[in-house]
Every structure is written in structure tokens, then in C-alpha cells.
Short mmCIF file of all heavy atoms in Angstrom, two decimals:
data_model
loop_
_atom_site.label_atom_id
_atom_site.label_comp_id
_atom_site.label_asym_id
_atom_site.label_seq_id
_atom_site.Cartn_x
_atom_site.Cartn_y
_atom_site.Cartn_z
N MET A 256 -20.67 -83.75 3.37
CA MET A 256 -21.82 -82.87 3.37
C MET A 256 -21.59 -81.72 4.37
O MET A 256 -21.08 -81.95 5.51
CB MET A 256 -23.04 -83.68 3.80
CG MET A 256 -24.34 -82.97 3.55
SD MET A 256 -25.71 -84.12 3.80
CE MET A 256 -26.85 -83.44 2.66
N PRO A 257 -21.89 -80.53 4.02
CA PRO A 257 -21.59 -79.37 4.90
C PRO A 257 -22.49 -79.25 6.09
O PRO A 257 -23.57 -79.83 6.11
CB PRO A 257 -21.78 -78.15 3.93
CG PRO A 257 -22.75 -78.65 2.92
CD PRO A 257 -22.48 -80.11 2.74
N TYR A 258 -22.04 -78.46 7.05
CA TYR A 258 -22.82 -78.09 8.23
C TYR A 258 -23.09 -76.59 8.21
O TYR A 258 -22.26 -75.82 7.83
CB TYR A 258 -22.07 -78.40 9.50
CG TYR A 258 -22.03 -79.84 9.90
CD1 TYR A 258 -21.09 -80.72 9.32
CD2 TYR A 258 -22.89 -80.35 10.83
CE1 TYR A 258 -21.05 -82.05 9.70
CE2 TYR A 258 -22.86 -81.65 11.21
CZ TYR A 258 -21.95 -82.52 10.66
OH TYR A 258 -21.92 -83.84 11.04
N PHE A 259 -24.27 -76.24 8.70
CA PHE A 259 -24.66 -74.85 8.83
C PHE A 259 -25.22 -74.68 10.26
O PHE A 259 -25.77 -75.64 10.81
CB PHE A 259 -25.75 -74.46 7.82
CG PHE A 259 -25.27 -74.63 6.39
CD1 PHE A 259 -25.40 -75.84 5.72
CD2 PHE A 259 -24.68 -73.62 5.71
CE1 PHE A 259 -24.96 -76.05 4.44
CE2 PHE A 259 -24.22 -73.78 4.40
CZ PHE A 259 -24.36 -74.99 3.77
N THR A 260 -25.13 -73.46 10.83
CA THR A 260 -25.63 -73.26 12.16
C THR A 260 -26.19 -71.89 12.37
O THR A 260 -25.83 -70.94 11.66
CB THR A 260 -24.46 -73.54 13.20
OG1 THR A 260 -25.01 -73.52 14.51
CG2 THR A 260 -23.38 -72.51 13.07
N TRP A 261 -27.05 -71.80 13.36
CA TRP A 261 -27.58 -70.51 13.81
C TRP A 261 -28.16 -70.74 15.20
O TRP A 261 -28.27 -71.86 15.69
CB TRP A 261 -28.71 -70.01 12.83
CG TRP A 261 -29.94 -70.82 12.86
CD1 TRP A 261 -31.12 -70.54 13.52
CD2 TRP A 261 -30.18 -72.06 12.18
NE1 TRP A 261 -32.03 -71.57 13.28
CE2 TRP A 261 -31.49 -72.54 12.46
CE3 TRP A 261 -29.37 -72.86 11.32
CZ2 TRP A 261 -31.98 -73.70 11.93
CZ3 TRP A 261 -29.93 -74.02 10.82
CH2 TRP A 261 -31.20 -74.45 11.13
N ILE A 262 -28.54 -69.65 15.87
CA ILE A 262 -29.11 -69.66 17.19
C ILE A 262 -30.59 -69.34 17.13
O ILE A 262 -30.91 -68.31 16.51
CB ILE A 262 -28.38 -68.69 18.15
CG1 ILE A 262 -26.92 -69.05 18.30
CG2 ILE A 262 -29.08 -68.64 19.49
CD1 ILE A 262 -26.58 -70.27 19.06
N ASN A 263 -31.42 -70.10 17.80
CA ASN A 263 -32.83 -69.70 17.97
C ASN A 263 -32.83 -68.73 19.12
O ASN A 263 -32.75 -69.06 20.27
CB ASN A 263 -33.68 -70.91 18.31
CG ASN A 263 -35.13 -70.55 18.50
OD1 ASN A 263 -35.49 -69.40 18.71
ND2 ASN A 263 -35.98 -71.53 18.42
N LYS A 264 -32.90 -67.40 18.72
CA LYS A 264 -32.84 -66.39 19.72
C LYS A 264 -34.04 -66.30 20.67
O LYS A 264 -34.01 -65.72 21.73
CB LYS A 264 -32.56 -65.02 19.04
CG LYS A 264 -31.17 -65.04 18.31
CD LYS A 264 -30.91 -63.76 17.62
CE LYS A 264 -30.37 -62.82 18.65
NZ LYS A 264 -29.61 -61.72 18.18
N GLU A 265 -35.14 -66.92 20.25
CA GLU A 265 -36.37 -66.96 21.03
C GLU A 265 -36.19 -67.83 22.26
O GLU A 265 -36.80 -67.58 23.30
CB GLU A 265 -37.55 -67.43 20.24
CG GLU A 265 -37.76 -66.66 18.92
CD GLU A 265 -38.76 -65.56 19.11
OE1 GLU A 265 -39.66 -65.74 19.90
OE2 GLU A 265 -38.62 -64.53 18.42
N THR A 266 -35.38 -68.85 22.16
CA THR A 266 -35.20 -69.80 23.27
C THR A 266 -33.88 -69.69 24.00
O THR A 266 -33.73 -70.31 25.06
CB THR A 266 -35.37 -71.28 22.73
OG1 THR A 266 -34.39 -71.53 21.76
CG2 THR A 266 -36.83 -71.48 22.15
N CYS A 267 -32.96 -68.90 23.46
CA CYS A 267 -31.62 -68.75 24.11
C CYS A 267 -31.79 -68.11 25.46
O CYS A 267 -32.51 -67.10 25.65
CB CYS A 267 -30.74 -67.92 23.19
SG CYS A 267 -29.15 -67.51 23.90
N ILE A 268 -31.10 -68.64 26.43
CA ILE A 268 -31.08 -68.09 27.78
C ILE A 268 -29.75 -67.46 28.17
O ILE A 268 -29.49 -67.12 29.30
CB ILE A 268 -31.51 -69.15 28.84
CG1 ILE A 268 -30.50 -70.30 28.83
CG2 ILE A 268 -32.95 -69.59 28.64
CD1 ILE A 268 -30.70 -71.33 30.01
N ALA A 269 -28.90 -67.31 27.18
CA ALA A 269 -27.58 -66.63 27.35
C ALA A 269 -26.75 -67.32 28.44
O ALA A 269 -26.14 -66.63 29.21
CB ALA A 269 -27.75 -65.14 27.62
N CYS A 270 -26.74 -68.62 28.43
CA CYS A 270 -25.97 -69.34 29.47
C CYS A 270 -24.43 -69.34 29.20
O CYS A 270 -23.65 -69.59 30.08
CB CYS A 270 -26.50 -70.76 29.59
SG CYS A 270 -26.14 -71.81 28.16
N GLY A 271 -24.03 -69.09 27.95
CA GLY A 271 -22.63 -69.03 27.59
C GLY A 271 -22.00 -70.33 27.09
O GLY A 271 -20.82 -70.33 26.75
N VAL A 272 -22.73 -71.40 27.06
CA VAL A 272 -22.17 -72.72 26.64
C VAL A 272 -21.70 -72.67 25.19
O VAL A 272 -20.60 -73.15 24.88
CB VAL A 272 -23.21 -73.84 26.82
CG1 VAL A 272 -22.73 -75.13 26.14
CG2 VAL A 272 -23.43 -74.11 28.30
N CYS A 273 -22.48 -72.06 24.30
CA CYS A 273 -22.09 -72.08 22.87
C CYS A 273 -20.82 -71.25 22.65
O CYS A 273 -19.91 -71.70 21.93
CB CYS A 273 -23.20 -71.63 21.97
SG CYS A 273 -23.79 -69.96 22.24
N GLY A 274 -20.77 -70.09 23.30
CA GLY A 274 -19.58 -69.25 23.13
C GLY A 274 -18.33 -69.92 23.74
O GLY A 274 -17.23 -69.73 23.20
N ALA A 275 -18.48 -70.63 24.82
CA ALA A 275 -17.37 -71.32 25.42
C ALA A 275 -16.95 -72.51 24.59
O ALA A 275 -15.73 -72.77 24.44
CB ALA A 275 -17.73 -71.75 26.81
N SER A 276 -17.88 -73.20 23.96
CA SER A 276 -17.57 -74.37 23.17
C SER A 276 -17.04 -74.01 21.78
O SER A 276 -16.19 -74.75 21.27
CB SER A 276 -18.85 -75.22 23.01
OG SER A 276 -19.31 -75.70 24.22
N ALA A 277 -17.60 -72.97 21.23
CA ALA A 277 -17.23 -72.61 19.83
C ALA A 277 -17.14 -71.07 19.69
O ALA A 277 -17.94 -70.45 19.02
CB ALA A 277 -18.26 -73.17 18.88
N PRO A 278 -16.12 -70.45 20.29
CA PRO A 278 -16.00 -68.98 20.22
C PRO A 278 -15.78 -68.44 18.79
O PRO A 278 -16.07 -67.26 18.58
CB PRO A 278 -14.82 -68.67 21.12
CG PRO A 278 -14.01 -69.96 21.16
CD PRO A 278 -15.02 -71.05 21.01
N GLU A 279 -15.30 -69.25 17.88
CA GLU A 279 -15.16 -68.81 16.51
C GLU A 279 -16.49 -68.81 15.73
O GLU A 279 -16.58 -68.17 14.68
CB GLU A 279 -14.18 -69.71 15.75
CG GLU A 279 -12.77 -69.71 16.34
CD GLU A 279 -12.65 -70.83 17.40
OE1 GLU A 279 -13.63 -71.55 17.74
OE2 GLU A 279 -11.53 -70.94 17.98
N LEU A 280 -17.53 -69.43 16.32
CA LEU A 280 -18.82 -69.54 15.67
C LEU A 280 -19.90 -68.67 16.33
O LEU A 280 -20.83 -68.24 15.65
CB LEU A 280 -19.29 -70.99 15.64
CG LEU A 280 -18.43 -71.96 14.86
CD1 LEU A 280 -18.90 -73.38 15.01
CD2 LEU A 280 -18.41 -71.59 13.40
N PHE A 281 -19.82 -68.51 17.63
CA PHE A 281 -20.89 -67.84 18.37
C PHE A 281 -20.37 -66.65 19.21
O PHE A 281 -19.33 -66.75 19.78
CB PHE A 281 -21.65 -68.82 19.25
CG PHE A 281 -22.17 -69.99 18.47
CD1 PHE A 281 -21.58 -71.26 18.62
CD2 PHE A 281 -23.21 -69.86 17.62
CE1 PHE A 281 -22.06 -72.34 17.90
CE2 PHE A 281 -23.73 -70.93 16.89
CZ PHE A 281 -23.14 -72.16 17.04
N ASP A 282 -21.20 -65.64 19.30
CA ASP A 282 -20.93 -64.49 20.18
C ASP A 282 -22.25 -64.04 20.74
O ASP A 282 -23.30 -64.69 20.50
CB ASP A 282 -20.22 -63.36 19.40
CG ASP A 282 -19.47 -62.40 20.33
OD1 ASP A 282 -19.54 -62.56 21.54
OD2 ASP A 282 -18.86 -61.45 19.80
N TYR A 283 -22.26 -62.89 21.43
CA TYR A 283 -23.47 -62.43 22.07
C TYR A 283 -23.80 -60.99 21.59
O TYR A 283 -22.89 -60.17 21.44
CB TYR A 283 -23.29 -62.49 23.56
CG TYR A 283 -22.96 -63.89 23.99
CD1 TYR A 283 -21.70 -64.33 24.08
CD2 TYR A 283 -24.00 -64.82 24.18
CE1 TYR A 283 -21.44 -65.65 24.38
CE2 TYR A 283 -23.73 -66.14 24.47
CZ TYR A 283 -22.41 -66.55 24.55
OH TYR A 283 -22.16 -67.86 24.83
N ASP A 284 -25.07 -60.71 21.45
CA ASP A 284 -25.48 -59.37 21.01
C ASP A 284 -25.53 -58.41 22.22
O ASP A 284 -25.19 -58.81 23.32
CB ASP A 284 -26.82 -59.42 20.25
CG ASP A 284 -27.98 -59.88 21.09
OD1 ASP A 284 -27.92 -59.89 22.32
OD2 ASP A 284 -29.01 -60.23 20.48
N ASP A 285 -25.99 -57.22 21.99
CA ASP A 285 -26.04 -56.17 23.06
C ASP A 285 -27.00 -56.62 24.21
O ASP A 285 -26.84 -56.08 25.32
CB ASP A 285 -26.47 -54.85 22.52
CG ASP A 285 -25.47 -54.26 21.53
OD1 ASP A 285 -24.25 -54.64 21.63
OD2 ASP A 285 -25.85 -53.43 20.69
N GLU A 286 -27.94 -57.49 23.93
CA GLU A 286 -28.85 -57.95 24.97
C GLU A 286 -28.34 -59.24 25.62
O GLU A 286 -29.02 -59.75 26.52
CB GLU A 286 -30.23 -58.19 24.34
CG GLU A 286 -30.86 -56.93 23.79
CD GLU A 286 -32.14 -57.20 23.04
OE1 GLU A 286 -32.64 -58.30 23.06
OE2 GLU A 286 -32.60 -56.26 22.38
N GLY A 287 -27.18 -59.71 25.26
CA GLY A 287 -26.62 -60.89 25.84
C GLY A 287 -27.11 -62.20 25.25
O GLY A 287 -26.82 -63.30 25.79
N ILE A 288 -27.86 -62.12 24.15
CA ILE A 288 -28.36 -63.32 23.49
C ILE A 288 -27.33 -63.78 22.41
O ILE A 288 -26.78 -62.97 21.70
CB ILE A 288 -29.74 -63.06 22.85
CG1 ILE A 288 -30.72 -62.61 23.92
CG2 ILE A 288 -30.26 -64.30 22.11
CD1 ILE A 288 -31.02 -63.56 25.02
N ALA A 289 -27.13 -65.11 22.35
CA ALA A 289 -26.17 -65.63 21.41
C ALA A 289 -26.63 -65.44 19.97
O ALA A 289 -27.83 -65.33 19.69
CB ALA A 289 -25.90 -67.09 21.68
N PHE A 290 -25.66 -65.43 19.09
CA PHE A 290 -25.95 -65.41 17.62
C PHE A 290 -24.77 -65.97 16.86
O PHE A 290 -23.67 -66.05 17.38
CB PHE A 290 -26.29 -63.99 17.11
CG PHE A 290 -25.10 -63.07 17.08
CD1 PHE A 290 -24.40 -62.84 15.90
CD2 PHE A 290 -24.72 -62.35 18.18
CE1 PHE A 290 -23.30 -62.04 15.86
CE2 PHE A 290 -23.66 -61.47 18.16
CZ PHE A 290 -22.94 -61.30 17.00
N GLY A 291 -25.05 -66.49 15.65
CA GLY A 291 -23.97 -67.00 14.80
C GLY A 291 -23.15 -65.89 14.21
O GLY A 291 -23.66 -65.00 13.55
N LEU A 292 -21.85 -65.97 14.45
CA LEU A 292 -20.90 -64.95 14.00
C LEU A 292 -20.68 -64.96 12.49
O LEU A 292 -20.60 -63.87 11.88
CB LEU A 292 -19.55 -65.13 14.62
CG LEU A 292 -19.31 -64.61 16.00
CD1 LEU A 292 -17.98 -65.06 16.54
CD2 LEU A 292 -19.40 -63.11 16.00
N ARG A 293 -20.52 -66.04 11.90
CA ARG A 293 -19.99 -66.14 10.52
C ARG A 293 -20.95 -65.58 9.50
O ARG A 293 -20.53 -65.12 8.43
CB ARG A 293 -19.63 -67.58 10.22
CG ARG A 293 -18.58 -68.11 11.17
CD ARG A 293 -18.11 -69.48 10.83
NE ARG A 293 -17.37 -69.46 9.56
CZ ARG A 293 -16.09 -69.13 9.44
NH1 ARG A 293 -15.40 -68.76 10.52
NH2 ARG A 293 -15.50 -69.21 8.29
N ASP A 294 -22.23 -65.67 9.75
CA ASP A 294 -23.23 -65.21 8.76
C ASP A 294 -24.32 -64.38 9.37
O ASP A 294 -25.46 -64.34 8.88
CB ASP A 294 -23.80 -66.36 8.03
CG ASP A 294 -24.48 -67.37 8.94
OD1 ASP A 294 -24.64 -67.11 10.16
OD2 ASP A 294 -24.86 -68.44 8.44
N ASP A 295 -24.05 -63.72 10.46
CA ASP A 295 -25.00 -62.85 11.21
C ASP A 295 -26.27 -63.65 11.57
O ASP A 295 -27.39 -63.16 11.42
CB ASP A 295 -25.33 -61.63 10.38
CG ASP A 295 -25.94 -60.52 11.24
OD1 ASP A 295 -25.64 -60.46 12.42
OD2 ASP A 295 -26.74 -59.72 10.72
N ASN A 296 -26.07 -64.91 11.98
CA ASN A 296 -27.16 -65.78 12.46
C ASN A 296 -28.15 -66.20 11.42
O ASN A 296 -29.27 -66.58 11.71
CB ASN A 296 -27.84 -65.13 13.67
CG ASN A 296 -28.43 -66.20 14.58
OD1 ASN A 296 -27.75 -67.11 15.00
ND2 ASN A 296 -29.71 -66.09 14.92
N LYS A 297 -27.74 -66.22 10.18
CA LYS A 297 -28.66 -66.58 9.10
C LYS A 297 -28.63 -68.09 8.79
O LYS A 297 -29.58 -68.63 8.17
CB LYS A 297 -28.33 -65.81 7.82
CG LYS A 297 -28.58 -64.32 7.97
CD LYS A 297 -28.16 -63.59 6.75
CE LYS A 297 -28.28 -62.09 7.02
NZ LYS A 297 -27.32 -61.33 6.26
N GLY A 298 -27.59 -68.81 9.15
CA GLY A 298 -27.49 -70.24 8.87
C GLY A 298 -27.26 -70.55 7.40
O GLY A 298 -27.62 -71.59 6.93
N ASP A 299 -26.62 -69.57 6.71
CA ASP A 299 -26.42 -69.81 5.29
C ASP A 299 -24.90 -69.88 4.87
O ASP A 299 -24.65 -69.94 3.69
CB ASP A 299 -27.14 -68.82 4.44
CG ASP A 299 -26.70 -67.37 4.72
OD1 ASP A 299 -25.75 -67.12 5.42
OD2 ASP A 299 -27.33 -66.45 4.09
N GLU A 300 -24.05 -69.87 5.86
CA GLU A 300 -22.61 -70.01 5.53
C GLU A 300 -22.07 -71.29 6.11
O GLU A 300 -22.27 -71.60 7.28
CB GLU A 300 -21.80 -68.81 6.08
CG GLU A 300 -20.33 -68.86 5.67
CD GLU A 300 -19.59 -67.61 6.11
OE1 GLU A 300 -20.10 -66.53 6.02
OE2 GLU A 300 -18.42 -67.81 6.57
N GLU A 301 -21.40 -72.05 5.28
CA GLU A 301 -20.88 -73.34 5.70
C GLU A 301 -19.90 -73.23 6.83
O GLU A 301 -18.99 -72.34 6.78
CB GLU A 301 -20.24 -74.01 4.51
CG GLU A 301 -19.81 -75.41 4.76
CD GLU A 301 -19.24 -76.10 3.52
OE1 GLU A 301 -19.65 -75.70 2.37
OE2 GLU A 301 -18.46 -77.02 3.66
N VAL A 302 -20.00 -74.08 7.82
CA VAL A 302 -19.08 -74.08 8.93
C VAL A 302 -17.79 -74.80 8.47
O VAL A 302 -17.86 -75.89 7.88
CB VAL A 302 -19.67 -74.89 10.17
CG1 VAL A 302 -18.64 -75.06 11.25
CG2 VAL A 302 -20.92 -74.21 10.66
N PRO A 303 -16.62 -74.13 8.69
CA PRO A 303 -15.38 -74.79 8.26
C PRO A 303 -15.17 -76.15 8.93
O PRO A 303 -15.56 -76.35 10.08
CB PRO A 303 -14.31 -73.80 8.72
CG PRO A 303 -15.02 -72.50 8.85
CD PRO A 303 -16.41 -72.84 9.27
N SER A 304 -14.59 -77.04 8.20
CA SER A 304 -14.40 -78.42 8.74
C SER A 304 -13.68 -78.50 10.03
O SER A 304 -13.93 -79.36 10.90
CB SER A 304 -13.78 -79.33 7.65
OG SER A 304 -12.49 -78.85 7.30
N ASP A 305 -12.70 -77.60 10.25
CA ASP A 305 -11.95 -77.66 11.47
C ASP A 305 -12.73 -77.13 12.67
O ASP A 305 -12.24 -77.27 13.82
CB ASP A 305 -10.64 -76.84 11.33
CG ASP A 305 -10.83 -75.38 11.06
OD1 ASP A 305 -11.80 -75.01 10.34
OD2 ASP A 305 -10.02 -74.60 11.57
N LEU A 306 -13.94 -76.62 12.47
CA LEU A 306 -14.76 -76.11 13.64
C LEU A 306 -15.99 -77.00 13.85
O LEU A 306 -16.80 -76.73 14.73
CB LEU A 306 -15.25 -74.67 13.32
CG LEU A 306 -14.15 -73.63 13.20
CD1 LEU A 306 -14.76 -72.28 12.90
CD2 LEU A 306 -13.34 -73.57 14.50
N ILE A 307 -16.16 -78.07 13.11
CA ILE A 307 -17.33 -78.96 13.24
C ILE A 307 -17.37 -79.61 14.60
O ILE A 307 -18.44 -79.65 15.19
CB ILE A 307 -17.39 -79.97 12.07
CG1 ILE A 307 -17.73 -79.17 10.79
CG2 ILE A 307 -18.46 -80.99 12.36
CD1 ILE A 307 -17.70 -80.00 9.57
N ASP A 308 -16.29 -80.08 15.11
CA ASP A 308 -16.31 -80.69 16.48
C ASP A 308 -16.78 -79.69 17.53
O ASP A 308 -17.57 -80.00 18.40
CB ASP A 308 -14.96 -81.25 16.84
CG ASP A 308 -14.59 -82.51 16.10
OD1 ASP A 308 -15.53 -83.19 15.57
OD2 ASP A 308 -13.40 -82.90 16.08
N ASP A 309 -16.30 -78.44 17.44
CA ASP A 309 -16.72 -77.39 18.40
C ASP A 309 -18.22 -77.14 18.20
O ASP A 309 -18.93 -76.93 19.19
CB ASP A 309 -15.94 -76.10 18.15
CG ASP A 309 -14.47 -76.24 18.53
OD1 ASP A 309 -14.11 -77.23 19.19
OD2 ASP A 309 -13.68 -75.34 18.16
N LEU A 310 -18.64 -77.02 16.96
CA LEU A 310 -20.07 -76.82 16.67
C LEU A 310 -20.93 -77.92 17.32
O LEU A 310 -21.92 -77.64 18.00
CB LEU A 310 -20.33 -76.80 15.20
CG LEU A 310 -21.77 -76.85 14.74
CD1 LEU A 310 -22.57 -75.67 15.22
CD2 LEU A 310 -21.88 -77.00 13.25
N LEU A 311 -20.58 -79.15 17.10
CA LEU A 311 -21.39 -80.26 17.63
C LEU A 311 -21.35 -80.28 19.14
O LEU A 311 -22.33 -80.60 19.80
CB LEU A 311 -20.87 -81.57 17.02
CG LEU A 311 -21.06 -81.70 15.51
CD1 LEU A 311 -20.53 -82.99 14.99
CD2 LEU A 311 -22.56 -81.55 15.13
N ASP A 312 -20.24 -79.89 19.72
CA ASP A 312 -20.14 -79.81 21.21
C ASP A 312 -21.09 -78.72 21.68
O ASP A 312 -21.82 -78.95 22.65
CB ASP A 312 -18.71 -79.53 21.62
CG ASP A 312 -18.53 -79.56 23.13
OD1 ASP A 312 -19.12 -80.43 23.78
OD2 ASP A 312 -17.82 -78.64 23.65
N ALA A 313 -21.12 -77.57 21.04
CA ALA A 313 -22.01 -76.48 21.45
C ALA A 313 -23.48 -76.92 21.27
O ALA A 313 -24.33 -76.69 22.18
CB ALA A 313 -21.76 -75.22 20.62
N HIS A 314 -23.76 -77.59 20.18
CA HIS A 314 -25.11 -78.07 19.93
C HIS A 314 -25.58 -79.06 20.99
O HIS A 314 -26.70 -78.93 21.52
CB HIS A 314 -25.17 -78.69 18.51
CG HIS A 314 -26.42 -79.38 18.19
ND1 HIS A 314 -27.58 -78.70 17.95
CD2 HIS A 314 -26.73 -80.71 18.01
CE1 HIS A 314 -28.54 -79.60 17.65
NE2 HIS A 314 -28.03 -80.80 17.70
N GLU A 315 -24.76 -80.04 21.31
CA GLU A 315 -25.12 -81.05 22.28
C GLU A 315 -25.17 -80.50 23.72
O GLU A 315 -25.91 -81.07 24.52
CB GLU A 315 -24.13 -82.24 22.19
CG GLU A 315 -24.21 -82.94 20.87
CD GLU A 315 -23.09 -83.92 20.63
OE1 GLU A 315 -22.20 -84.10 21.53
OE2 GLU A 315 -23.03 -84.50 19.51
N SER A 316 -24.41 -79.47 23.99
CA SER A 316 -24.35 -78.95 25.33
C SER A 316 -25.38 -77.84 25.66
O SER A 316 -25.61 -77.53 26.81
CB SER A 316 -22.94 -78.30 25.60
OG SER A 316 -21.96 -79.31 25.44
N CYS A 317 -26.01 -77.30 24.69
CA CYS A 317 -26.99 -76.24 24.89
C CYS A 317 -28.21 -76.73 25.65
O CYS A 317 -28.90 -77.62 25.19
CB CYS A 317 -27.47 -75.62 23.50
SG CYS A 317 -28.60 -74.27 23.78
N PRO A 318 -28.46 -76.16 26.87
CA PRO A 318 -29.56 -76.69 27.69
C PRO A 318 -30.93 -76.42 27.13
O PRO A 318 -31.91 -77.08 27.51
CB PRO A 318 -29.36 -76.01 29.01
CG PRO A 318 -28.64 -74.72 28.71
CD PRO A 318 -27.77 -75.09 27.49
N THR A 319 -31.05 -75.43 26.24
CA THR A 319 -32.38 -75.09 25.64
C THR A 319 -32.51 -75.53 24.21
O THR A 319 -33.48 -75.19 23.53
CB THR A 319 -32.67 -73.60 25.76
OG1 THR A 319 -31.63 -72.88 25.07
CG2 THR A 319 -32.70 -73.15 27.22
N GLU A 320 -31.51 -76.25 23.71
CA GLU A 320 -31.50 -76.71 22.31
C GLU A 320 -31.61 -75.54 21.30
O GLU A 320 -32.19 -75.67 20.24
CB GLU A 320 -32.53 -77.76 22.02
CG GLU A 320 -32.37 -78.97 22.89
CD GLU A 320 -33.43 -80.06 22.69
OE1 GLU A 320 -34.40 -79.83 21.97
OE2 GLU A 320 -33.27 -81.12 23.31
N SER A 321 -31.02 -74.40 21.69
CA SER A 321 -31.09 -73.18 20.88
C SER A 321 -30.00 -73.16 19.75
O SER A 321 -30.17 -72.45 18.80
CB SER A 321 -30.92 -71.94 21.73
OG SER A 321 -32.00 -71.85 22.60
N VAL A 322 -28.95 -73.94 19.94
CA VAL A 322 -27.92 -74.04 18.88
C VAL A 322 -28.44 -75.00 17.86
O VAL A 322 -28.62 -76.21 18.08
CB VAL A 322 -26.57 -74.57 19.43
CG1 VAL A 322 -25.54 -74.71 18.32
CG2 VAL A 322 -26.04 -73.60 20.53
N LYS A 323 -28.77 -74.45 16.67
CA LYS A 323 -29.35 -75.23 15.59
C LYS A 323 -28.26 -75.63 14.59
O LYS A 323 -27.36 -74.85 14.32
CB LYS A 323 -30.43 -74.44 14.86
CG LYS A 323 -31.53 -74.01 15.79
CD LYS A 323 -32.19 -75.22 16.41
CE LYS A 323 -33.38 -74.86 17.28
NZ LYS A 323 -33.94 -76.00 17.95
N VAL A 324 -28.33 -76.87 14.11
CA VAL A 324 -27.40 -77.40 13.15
C VAL A 324 -28.22 -78.02 12.04
O VAL A 324 -29.17 -78.73 12.30
CB VAL A 324 -26.46 -78.48 13.80
CG1 VAL A 324 -25.57 -79.12 12.75
CG2 VAL A 324 -25.65 -77.85 14.89
N ASN A 325 -27.82 -77.74 10.82
CA ASN A 325 -28.50 -78.30 9.65
C ASN A 325 -27.43 -78.71 8.64
O ASN A 325 -26.35 -78.14 8.65
CB ASN A 325 -29.42 -77.26 9.07
CG ASN A 325 -30.52 -77.88 8.21
OD1 ASN A 325 -30.45 -79.02 7.86
ND2 ASN A 325 -31.55 -77.11 7.96
N ARG A 326 -27.78 -79.66 7.84
CA ARG A 326 -26.86 -80.08 6.77
C ARG A 326 -27.18 -79.39 5.46
O ARG A 326 -26.52 -79.59 4.44
CB ARG A 326 -26.93 -81.59 6.57
CG ARG A 326 -26.56 -82.39 7.82
CD ARG A 326 -25.19 -82.12 8.37
NE ARG A 326 -24.11 -82.46 7.55
CZ ARG A 326 -23.40 -83.56 7.55
NH1 ARG A 326 -23.70 -84.51 8.41
NH2 ARG A 326 -22.40 -83.72 6.72
N LYS A 327 -28.23 -78.50 5.46
CA LYS A 327 -28.56 -77.69 4.28
C LYS A 327 -28.57 -76.23 4.69
O LYS A 327 -28.90 -75.90 5.81
CB LYS A 327 -29.96 -78.10 3.81
CG LYS A 327 -30.03 -79.51 3.26
CD LYS A 327 -31.43 -79.74 2.74
CE LYS A 327 -31.52 -81.19 2.16
NZ LYS A 327 -32.88 -81.43 1.66
N LYS A 328 -28.30 -75.42 3.73
CA LYS A 328 -28.28 -73.96 3.90
C LYS A 328 -29.68 -73.48 4.20
O LYS A 328 -30.66 -73.93 3.59
CB LYS A 328 -27.76 -73.29 2.59
CG LYS A 328 -27.59 -71.78 2.68
CD LYS A 328 -27.23 -71.19 1.38
CE LYS A 328 -25.89 -71.72 0.88
NZ LYS A 328 -25.38 -70.95 -0.28
N GLN A 329 -29.79 -72.55 5.16
CA GLN A 329 -31.10 -71.93 5.44
C GLN A 329 -31.52 -71.04 4.28
O GLN A 329 -30.68 -70.43 3.68
CB GLN A 329 -31.03 -71.11 6.73
CG GLN A 329 -30.93 -71.94 7.99
CD GLN A 329 -32.09 -72.81 8.21
OE1 GLN A 329 -32.03 -74.01 7.97
NE2 GLN A 329 -33.15 -72.24 8.63
N LYS A 330 -32.77 -70.93 4.01
CA LYS A 330 -33.28 -70.10 2.94
C LYS A 330 -33.75 -68.79 3.46
O LYS A 330 -34.21 -68.62 4.50
CB LYS A 330 -34.35 -70.81 2.16
CG LYS A 330 -33.79 -72.06 1.50
CD LYS A 330 -34.87 -72.72 0.74
CE LYS A 330 -34.33 -73.99 0.10
NZ LYS A 330 -35.18 -74.71 -0.72
#
């Protein structure tokens, strides 16, 4: 089953954990808030299987639970 991810930009505190854990998945906008790179933070592009461990590490390490993970595509 696939994984999808995005950042809740309302709760992100720009601590850098997601970018450090999964730099291929997350980056920061001009305001320093994280966002999902692969699909412009929409949560509708499947995370490649080789990046799932990094994704789960970012998700589990985020102090504000802003890294969102779903097994279904966002609508």
C-alpha cells in the first residue's frame, strides 16, 4: 500500500527535523516553513519505496506532528 505525505503549514515551527530526516521529500519555503517537495505539499504523489524509512523518521520526529502521512492520496 502506498504512502503519501504533506506538511501542515499551520502548525509547522520550522525546526528542521523533516528536512534533515528526509531532504528528498521536504524543503522550506521563503518564510522558512516546511513543505512537501514532490507534489508541492498536496499529498497526492506516492512516496517512493526507498524513501519510506526517511518519511517515517521525519513523521515520528516532528515535535508538532506537522509531518502528515496517509496511506491514501489527498483529494
Side-chain angles (χ1 to χ4, degrees):
M256 193 171 211
Y258 282 85
F259 300 88
T260 188
W261 69 99
I262 298 290
N263 179 341
K264 295 180 84 159
E265 304 267 327
T266 59
C267 176
I268 60 170
C270 69
V272 170
C273 62
S276 297
E279 299 88 359
L280 297 174
F281 304 107
D282 201 358
Y283 303 91
D284 64 17
D285 293 337
E286 296 173 10
I288 301 299
F290 71 96
L292 276 173
R293 302 186 65 82
D294 58 8
D295 200 28
N296 207 51
K297 295 177 187 150
D299 62 5
E300 186 174 318
E301 187 176 335
V302 174
S304 60
D305 63 324
L306 298 178
I307 290 174
D308 286 342
D309 292 346
L310 166 63
L311 296 177
D312 185 41
H314 173 69
E315 293 168 4
S316 300
C317 180
T319 60
E320 299 179 355
S321 297
V322 177
K323 302 301 182 183
V324 175
N325 203 343
R326 300 304 296 264
K327 293 182 180 181
K328 186 185 296 190
Q329 290 297 104
K330 296 181 182 184

